[in-house]
Protein backbone atom coordinates (compact mmCIF):
# COMPACT_ATOMS: atom_id res chain seq x y z
CA UNK A 1 0.00 0.00 0.00
CA UNK A 2 1.44 3.42 -0.92
CA UNK A 3 2.32 5.83 1.86
CA UNK A 4 0.60 9.19 2.33
CA UNK A 5 3.67 10.87 0.85
CA UNK A 6 3.57 8.63 -2.22
CA UNK A 7 -0.11 9.43 -2.75
CA UNK A 8 0.70 13.15 -2.48
CA UNK A 9 3.45 12.74 -5.05
CA UNK A 10 0.98 11.01 -7.36
CA UNK A 11 -1.44 13.93 -6.97
CA UNK A 12 1.41 16.31 -7.85
CA UNK A 13 2.11 14.37 -11.05
CA UNK A 14 -1.57 14.48 -12.01
CA UNK A 15 -2.41 18.10 -11.15
CA UNK A 16 0.63 20.36 -11.32
CA UNK A 17 1.64 22.32 -14.41
CA UNK A 18 4.38 20.92 -16.69
CA UNK A 19 6.96 23.41 -15.41
CA UNK A 20 6.19 22.89 -11.72
CA UNK A 21 8.73 21.29 -9.38
CA UNK A 22 7.68 17.77 -8.38
CA UNK A 23 8.85 16.83 -4.92
CA UNK A 24 9.88 13.37 -6.12
CA UNK A 25 12.34 15.03 -8.52
CA UNK A 26 14.11 17.16 -5.92
CA UNK A 27 17.89 17.34 -6.21
CA UNK A 28 17.97 16.31 -2.58
CA UNK A 29 19.66 17.50 0.59
CA UNK A 30 23.24 18.15 1.62
CA UNK A 31 23.00 15.06 3.81
CA UNK A 32 20.76 12.21 2.59
CA UNK A 33 17.80 11.34 4.83
CA UNK A 34 15.21 8.63 4.89
CA UNK A 35 11.96 9.85 3.31
CA UNK A 36 9.06 10.73 5.61
CA UNK A 37 6.02 8.45 5.14
CA UNK A 38 3.60 11.38 5.60
CA UNK A 39 5.23 14.49 4.14
CA UNK A 40 6.98 15.30 0.91
CA UNK A 41 10.48 16.75 1.15
CA UNK A 42 9.16 20.28 0.59
CA UNK A 43 6.47 19.91 3.25
CA UNK A 44 9.16 18.73 5.61
CA UNK A 45 11.32 21.78 4.81
CA UNK A 46 8.38 24.11 5.47
CA UNK A 47 7.82 22.53 8.89
CA UNK A 48 11.49 22.76 9.82
CA UNK A 49 11.52 26.45 8.96
CA UNK A 50 8.40 27.27 10.97
CA UNK A 51 9.77 25.51 14.05
CA UNK A 52 13.28 27.00 13.94
CA UNK A 53 14.50 29.77 16.24
CA UNK A 54 15.47 32.12 13.42
CA UNK A 55 11.87 32.15 12.22
CA UNK A 56 10.57 33.12 15.66
CA UNK A 57 13.11 35.94 15.94
CA UNK A 58 11.65 37.59 12.84
CA UNK A 59 8.82 38.95 15.00
CA UNK A 60 11.28 41.36 16.64
CA UNK A 61 13.21 42.40 13.55
CA UNK A 62 12.57 45.67 11.72
CA UNK A 63 10.87 45.75 8.34
CA UNK A 64 11.14 49.46 7.41
CA UNK A 65 10.38 51.65 10.42
CA UNK A 66 12.72 51.19 13.38
CA UNK A 67 10.96 50.54 16.70
CA UNK A 68 7.67 52.14 15.61
CA UNK A 69 5.06 53.12 18.18
CA UNK A 70 1.89 51.22 17.37
CA UNK A 71 0.61 47.69 17.00
CA UNK A 72 -0.04 47.66 13.27
CA UNK A 73 3.35 48.33 11.65
CA UNK A 74 4.96 45.44 9.84
CA UNK A 75 7.81 43.44 11.28
CA UNK A 76 10.04 41.06 9.37
CA UNK A 77 7.70 38.23 10.44
CA UNK A 78 4.47 39.83 9.24
CA UNK A 79 6.24 40.72 5.98
CA UNK A 80 7.20 37.06 5.62
CA UNK A 81 3.61 35.93 6.17
CA UNK A 82 2.33 38.40 3.56
CA UNK A 83 4.94 37.21 1.06
CA UNK A 84 3.90 33.63 1.78
CA UNK A 85 0.22 34.30 1.14
CA UNK A 86 0.83 36.20 -2.10
CA UNK A 87 3.28 33.55 -3.32
CA UNK A 88 0.83 30.75 -2.59
CA UNK A 89 -1.92 32.59 -4.46
CA UNK A 90 0.37 32.88 -7.48
CA UNK A 91 1.47 29.26 -7.20
CA UNK A 92 -2.07 27.93 -6.96
CA UNK A 93 -3.25 30.00 -9.92
CA UNK A 94 -0.35 28.73 -12.05
CA UNK A 95 -0.60 25.16 -10.69
CA UNK A 96 2.90 25.27 -9.23
CA UNK A 97 4.06 23.35 -6.17
CA UNK A 98 2.54 25.25 -3.23
CA UNK A 99 4.61 23.36 -0.66
CA UNK A 100 7.90 24.36 -2.25
CA UNK A 101 6.63 27.92 -2.73
CA UNK A 102 5.62 28.13 0.93
CA UNK A 103 8.93 26.78 2.20
CA UNK A 104 10.90 29.35 0.19
CA UNK A 105 8.58 32.20 1.21
CA UNK A 106 8.67 31.39 4.92
CA UNK A 107 12.45 31.09 5.03
CA UNK A 108 13.60 33.72 2.55
CA UNK A 109 14.48 36.32 5.23
CA UNK A 110 15.83 34.05 7.99
CA UNK A 111 19.27 35.64 7.56
CA UNK A 112 18.09 39.23 7.85
CA UNK A 113 19.84 41.48 10.33
CA UNK A 114 18.33 43.48 13.18
CA UNK A 115 17.23 47.00 12.18
CA UNK A 116 16.25 46.01 8.65
CA UNK A 117 18.32 47.16 5.69
CA UNK A 118 20.09 49.73 7.85
CA UNK A 119 21.54 46.86 9.87
CA UNK A 120 22.42 45.01 6.68
CA UNK A 121 24.30 48.02 5.31
CA UNK A 122 26.17 48.39 8.60
CA UNK A 123 27.28 44.75 8.64
CA UNK A 124 28.12 44.87 4.95
CA UNK A 125 30.59 47.68 5.68
CA UNK A 126 32.19 45.81 8.58
CA UNK A 127 32.34 42.18 7.46
CA UNK A 128 35.32 41.21 5.25
CA UNK A 129 33.80 40.19 1.94
CA UNK A 130 30.56 42.04 2.70
CA UNK A 131 27.20 40.84 3.96
CA UNK A 132 24.01 39.99 2.06
CA UNK A 133 20.95 38.77 3.94
CA UNK A 134 19.93 36.31 1.22
CA UNK A 135 23.32 34.60 1.45
CA UNK A 136 23.01 34.57 5.22
CA UNK A 137 19.60 32.91 4.97
CA UNK A 138 21.27 29.93 3.32
CA UNK A 139 24.05 29.92 5.94
CA UNK A 140 21.45 29.97 8.72
CA UNK A 141 19.73 26.82 7.47
CA UNK A 142 22.98 25.10 6.44
CA UNK A 143 25.19 25.85 9.44
CA UNK A 144 23.64 27.80 12.31
CA UNK A 145 20.20 26.43 13.07
CA UNK A 146 19.45 23.40 15.23
CA UNK A 147 22.46 23.92 17.51
CA UNK A 148 24.81 24.44 14.55
CA UNK A 149 23.77 21.22 12.81
CA UNK A 150 21.66 23.02 10.20
CA UNK A 151 18.17 22.18 8.96
CA UNK A 152 19.43 20.19 5.97
CA UNK A 153 16.90 21.64 3.54
CA UNK A 154 16.45 20.63 -0.08
CA UNK A 155 18.44 22.21 -2.90
CA UNK A 156 15.35 23.86 -4.41
CA UNK A 157 14.42 25.68 -1.19
CA UNK A 158 17.97 26.91 -0.63
CA UNK A 159 18.19 28.03 -4.27
CA UNK A 160 14.98 30.01 -3.75
CA UNK A 161 16.54 31.79 -0.76
CA UNK A 162 19.71 32.83 -2.56
CA UNK A 163 17.81 34.10 -5.62
CA UNK A 164 14.85 35.82 -3.94
CA UNK A 165 15.98 39.43 -4.18
CA UNK A 166 18.32 40.25 -7.07
CA UNK A 167 20.76 38.82 -9.58
CA UNK A 168 20.22 35.38 -11.03
CA UNK A 169 16.64 34.10 -11.00
CA UNK A 170 15.74 30.92 -9.13
CA UNK A 171 15.96 27.63 -10.99
CA UNK A 172 12.33 26.81 -10.16
CA UNK A 173 9.17 28.68 -11.08
CA UNK A 174 8.24 28.44 -7.41
CA UNK A 175 11.35 30.37 -6.42
CA UNK A 176 10.54 32.99 -9.04
CA UNK A 177 6.99 33.27 -7.71
CA UNK A 178 8.41 34.10 -4.26
CA UNK A 179 10.66 36.79 -5.73
CA UNK A 180 7.65 38.45 -7.36
CA UNK A 181 5.60 38.00 -4.18
CA UNK A 182 8.34 39.65 -2.10
CA UNK A 183 8.30 42.68 -4.42
CA UNK A 184 4.51 42.92 -4.40
CA UNK A 185 4.29 42.57 -0.64
CA UNK A 186 6.96 44.98 0.53
CA UNK A 187 6.09 47.75 -1.90
CA UNK A 188 2.43 47.77 -0.93
CA UNK A 189 2.73 47.27 2.81
CA UNK A 190 5.47 49.90 2.97
CA UNK A 191 3.05 52.38 1.38
CA UNK A 192 0.43 51.53 3.99
CA UNK A 193 2.92 51.83 6.87
CA UNK A 194 4.20 55.13 5.50
CA UNK A 195 0.67 56.54 5.35
CA UNK A 196 0.02 55.34 8.91
CA UNK A 197 3.24 57.01 10.05
CA UNK A 198 2.31 60.28 8.37
CA UNK A 199 5.31 60.06 6.06
CA UNK A 200 3.15 59.74 2.95
CA UNK A 201 -0.19 61.33 2.14
CA UNK A 202 -2.86 58.88 0.88
CA UNK A 203 -3.13 60.90 -2.35
CA UNK A 204 0.63 61.27 -2.87
CA UNK A 205 1.13 58.41 -5.35
CA UNK A 206 1.63 59.63 -8.93
CA UNK A 207 -1.63 59.56 -10.90
CA UNK A 208 -0.14 57.63 -13.81
CA UNK A 209 0.78 54.79 -11.42
CA UNK A 210 -2.62 54.83 -9.73
CA UNK A 211 -4.37 54.63 -13.10
CA UNK A 212 -2.59 51.36 -13.89
CA UNK A 213 -2.20 49.68 -10.49
CA UNK A 214 -5.02 51.16 -8.42
CA UNK A 215 -5.48 53.59 -5.55
CA UNK A 216 -5.60 51.17 -2.60
CA UNK A 217 -3.35 48.41 -1.31
CA UNK A 218 -5.89 45.67 -2.01
CA UNK A 219 -6.53 46.80 -5.56
CA UNK A 220 -2.81 47.15 -6.32
CA UNK A 221 -2.01 43.68 -4.98
CA UNK A 222 -4.89 42.14 -6.94
CA UNK A 223 -3.81 43.96 -10.10
CA UNK A 224 -0.20 42.83 -9.79
CA UNK A 225 -1.06 39.19 -9.01
CA UNK A 226 -3.70 38.97 -11.73
CA UNK A 227 -1.41 40.50 -14.34
CA UNK A 228 1.45 38.19 -13.38
CA UNK A 229 -0.75 35.11 -13.62
CA UNK A 230 -2.21 36.22 -16.95
CA UNK A 231 1.10 37.00 -18.63
CA UNK A 232 3.29 34.20 -17.27
CA UNK A 233 4.14 31.21 -19.43
CA UNK A 234 5.00 27.58 -18.64
CA UNK A 235 8.66 28.61 -18.96
CA UNK A 236 8.77 31.81 -16.91
CA UNK A 237 6.88 34.41 -14.88
CA UNK A 238 6.44 38.01 -16.02
CA UNK A 239 4.30 41.13 -15.73
CA UNK A 240 2.81 42.73 -18.83
CA UNK A 241 4.90 45.66 -20.14
CA UNK A 242 2.33 48.21 -18.88
CA UNK A 243 2.10 46.81 -15.35
CA UNK A 244 5.82 46.13 -15.18
CA UNK A 245 6.59 49.76 -16.06
CA UNK A 246 4.05 51.02 -13.50
CA UNK A 247 5.60 48.83 -10.82
CA UNK A 248 9.09 50.13 -11.59
CA UNK A 249 7.79 53.69 -11.47
CA UNK A 250 6.24 52.98 -8.07
CA UNK A 251 9.52 51.44 -6.93
CA UNK A 252 11.42 54.58 -7.99
CA UNK A 253 8.85 56.81 -6.27
CA UNK A 254 9.18 54.94 -2.97
CA UNK A 255 12.98 55.06 -3.06
CA UNK A 256 12.93 58.80 -3.71
CA UNK A 257 10.40 59.57 -0.95
CA UNK A 258 9.60 57.07 1.79
CA UNK A 259 12.88 55.16 1.95
CA UNK A 260 14.90 58.36 2.30
CA UNK A 261 12.46 60.32 4.46
CA UNK A 262 14.38 62.03 7.28
CA UNK A 263 11.58 61.66 9.80
CA UNK A 264 10.99 57.97 9.11
CA UNK A 265 14.68 57.12 9.02
CA UNK A 266 16.04 59.51 11.65
CA UNK A 267 16.96 56.65 13.96
CA UNK A 268 18.96 54.80 11.31
CA UNK A 269 22.09 56.87 11.90
CA UNK A 270 22.21 55.29 15.35
CA UNK A 271 22.06 51.79 13.89
CA UNK A 272 25.53 52.07 12.39
CA UNK A 273 26.98 52.98 15.78
CA UNK A 274 25.18 50.15 17.61
CA UNK A 275 26.25 47.52 15.06
CA UNK A 276 29.80 48.87 14.79
CA UNK A 277 30.33 49.01 18.56
CA UNK A 278 28.97 45.50 19.04
CA UNK A 279 31.11 44.21 16.17
CA UNK A 280 34.29 45.78 17.54
CA UNK A 281 33.63 44.54 21.06
CA UNK A 282 33.09 40.92 20.01
CA UNK A 283 36.03 40.93 17.59
CA UNK A 284 38.32 42.29 20.28
CA UNK A 285 37.12 39.70 22.79
CA UNK A 286 35.67 36.58 21.10
CA UNK A 287 35.27 34.91 24.48
CA UNK A 288 32.15 37.05 24.91
CA UNK A 289 30.50 34.98 22.17
CA UNK A 290 28.29 31.99 23.09
CA UNK A 291 30.06 28.63 22.84
CA UNK A 292 28.77 27.65 19.39
CA UNK A 293 29.85 30.92 17.83
CA UNK A 294 33.17 30.69 19.63
CA UNK A 295 33.73 27.40 17.82
CA UNK A 296 33.00 29.15 14.51
CA UNK A 297 35.58 31.78 15.48
CA UNK A 298 38.22 29.09 16.00
CA UNK A 299 37.35 27.25 12.78
CA UNK A 300 36.36 30.01 10.33
CA UNK A 301 37.64 33.23 11.86
CA UNK A 302 36.42 35.76 14.39
CA UNK A 303 34.83 38.06 11.81
CA UNK A 304 32.69 35.23 10.50
CA UNK A 305 31.52 34.26 13.97
CA UNK A 306 30.74 37.83 15.01
CA UNK A 307 28.82 38.45 11.79
CA UNK A 308 26.77 35.30 12.32
CA UNK A 309 25.99 36.25 15.91
CA UNK A 310 25.04 39.89 15.32
CA UNK A 311 23.01 39.18 12.18
CA UNK A 312 20.89 36.71 14.14
CA UNK A 313 19.99 39.19 16.87
CA UNK A 314 16.55 40.72 17.17
CA UNK A 315 16.36 44.52 17.41
CA UNK A 316 15.58 44.31 21.11
CA UNK A 317 18.40 41.90 21.90
CA UNK A 318 20.93 43.99 19.97
CA UNK A 319 19.93 47.11 21.91
CA UNK A 320 19.98 45.25 25.21
CA UNK A 321 23.43 43.83 24.47
CA UNK A 322 24.70 47.29 23.52
CA UNK A 323 23.37 48.70 26.78
CA UNK A 324 24.98 45.90 28.79
CA UNK A 325 28.35 46.69 27.22
CA UNK A 326 28.33 50.45 26.96
CA UNK A 327 25.65 52.03 29.17
CA UNK A 328 26.45 52.40 32.91
CA UNK A 329 24.11 50.41 35.11
CA UNK A 330 22.56 51.64 38.32
CA UNK A 331 24.23 50.42 41.45
CA UNK A 332 21.70 49.20 43.95
CA UNK A 333 22.81 49.28 47.61
CA UNK A 334 20.76 47.20 50.03
Amino acid sequence: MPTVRERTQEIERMTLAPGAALSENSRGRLRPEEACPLRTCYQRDRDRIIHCKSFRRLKQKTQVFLSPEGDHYRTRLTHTLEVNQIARTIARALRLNEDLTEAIALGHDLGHTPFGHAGERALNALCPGGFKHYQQSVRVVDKLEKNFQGLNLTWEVRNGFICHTRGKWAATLEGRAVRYADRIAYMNHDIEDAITAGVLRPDALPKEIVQVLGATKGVRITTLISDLVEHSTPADLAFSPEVGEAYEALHDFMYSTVYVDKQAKREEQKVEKVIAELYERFVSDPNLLPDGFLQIAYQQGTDRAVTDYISGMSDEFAIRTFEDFFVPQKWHVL
Side-chain angles (χ1 to χ4, degrees):
M1 178 179 293
T3 65
V4 173
R5 171 182 52 78
E6 290 169 337
R7 290 200 296 270
T8 301
Q9 290 173 336
E10 181 180 3
I11 292 171
E12 288 181 356
R13 290 194 297 271
M14 294 171 58
T15 60
L16 295 186
L22 301 180
S23 57
E24 65 185 355
N25 293 336
S26 170
R27 298 192 192 184
R29 307 180 185 278
L30 295 175
R31 300 183 301 277
E33 296 181 8
E34 184 177 349
C36 174
L38 297 176
R39 298 168 297 168
T40 68
C41 56
Y42 300 143
Q43 290 173 339
R44 218 170 171 186
D45 284 358
R46 174 204 59 204
D47 295 350
R48 290 178 182 184
I49 291 165
I50 288 175
H51 290 289
C52 77
K53 292 179 180 178
S54 299
F55 183 78
R56 296 195 292 276
R57 286 199 296 270
L58 294 176
K59 68 181 179 181
Q60 291 185 328
K61 290 194 175 190
T62 289
Q63 175 59 27
V64 171
F65 297 102
L66 295 174
S67 302
E69 291 291 337
D71 297 333
H72 301 141
Y73 291 95
R74 269 71 174 191
T75 65
R76 190 61 56 178
L77 179 59
T78 58
H79 161 72
T80 293
L81 296 177
E82 292 185 32
V83 171
N84 180 54
Q85 192 55 49
I86 292 172
R88 286 189 60 188
T89 299
I90 295 168
R92 182 169 296 187
L94 295 175
R95 291 191 297 120
L96 303 178
N97 192 315
E98 282 190 64
D99 296 323
L100 173 57
T101 303
E102 186 170 34
I104 297 170
L106 291 174
H108 77 281
D109 269 353
L110 290 180
H112 224 298
T113 60
F115 312 118
H117 289 288
E120 182 172 17
R121 288 192 297 269
L123 266 184
N124 185 54
L126 293 164
C127 177
F131 178 91
K132 298 292 184 291
H133 77 273
Y134 48 90
Q135 296 172 342
Q136 188 69 14
S137 293
V138 176
R139 182 168 173 81
V140 165
V141 298
D142 283 356
K143 304 289 185 182
L144 304 181
E145 265 296 338
K146 203 176 178 182
N147 296 320
F148 303 95
Q149 298 178 52
L151 300 181
N152 199 29
L153 303 184
T154 56
W155 183 91
E156 291 77 13
V157 171
R158 295 161 61 250
N159 173 258
F161 290 174
I162 202 73
C163 298
H164 87 262
T165 182
R166 60 174 60 89
K168 186 178 180 180
W169 283 84
T172 64
L173 295 178
E174 290 78 3
R176 299 181 185 199
V178 171
R179 182 157 163 176
Y180 274 103
D182 187 37
R183 293 176 173 184
I184 293 170
Y186 81 70
M187 192 63 64
N188 284 285
H189 65 50
D190 288 355
I191 292 172
E192 187 172 59
D193 281 357
I195 292 173
T196 301
V199 172
L200 195 66
R201 298 191 322 275
D203 60 350
L205 296 184
K207 292 181 180 179
E208 59 272 20
I209 296 175
V210 172
Q211 288 174 351
V212 176
L213 300 183
T216 67
K217 179 191 69 173
V219 172
R220 285 191 298 270
I221 291 175
T222 299
T223 298
L224 288 163
I225 293 175
S226 299
D227 184 83
L228 183 67
V229 169
E230 181 180 351
H231 291 90
S232 294
T233 69
D236 202 4
L237 276 62
F239 289 131
S240 67
E242 181 184 24
V243 167
E245 289 174 7
Y247 176 88
E248 291 302 325
L250 179 59
H251 178 276
D252 293 343
F253 170 79
M254 290 294 286
Y255 271 87
S256 65
T257 54
V258 172
Y259 297 142
V260 296
D261 182 83
K262 292 181 180 179
Q263 178 184 351
K265 313 301 266 184
R266 65 183 181 273
E267 297 299 301
E268 286 193 358
Q269 58 186 337
K270 301 175 184 178
V271 168
E272 182 177 347
K273 179 174 178 59
V274 170
I275 297 293
E277 293 285 356
L278 288 176
Y279 194 94
E280 183 179 347
R281 183 62 185 272
F282 284 120
V283 168
S284 64
D285 188 359
N287 289 312
L288 293 170
L289 293 168
D291 288 345
F293 293 96
L294 192 56
Q295 288 298 315
I296 293 176
Y298 290 145
Q299 297 169 3
Q300 301 177 49
T302 302
D303 287 292
R304 179 71 264 170
V306 173
T307 299
D308 286 339
Y309 187 48
I310 293 178
S311 66
M313 293 179 175
S314 66
D315 294 17
E316 181 180 333
F317 184 72
I319 293 171
R320 190 165 66 245
T321 304
F322 178 86
E323 290 175 344
D324 288 343
F325 285 159
F326 303 110
V327 178
Q329 304 296 312
K330 292 182 179 179
W331 184 36
H332 296 281
V333 180
L334 299 179

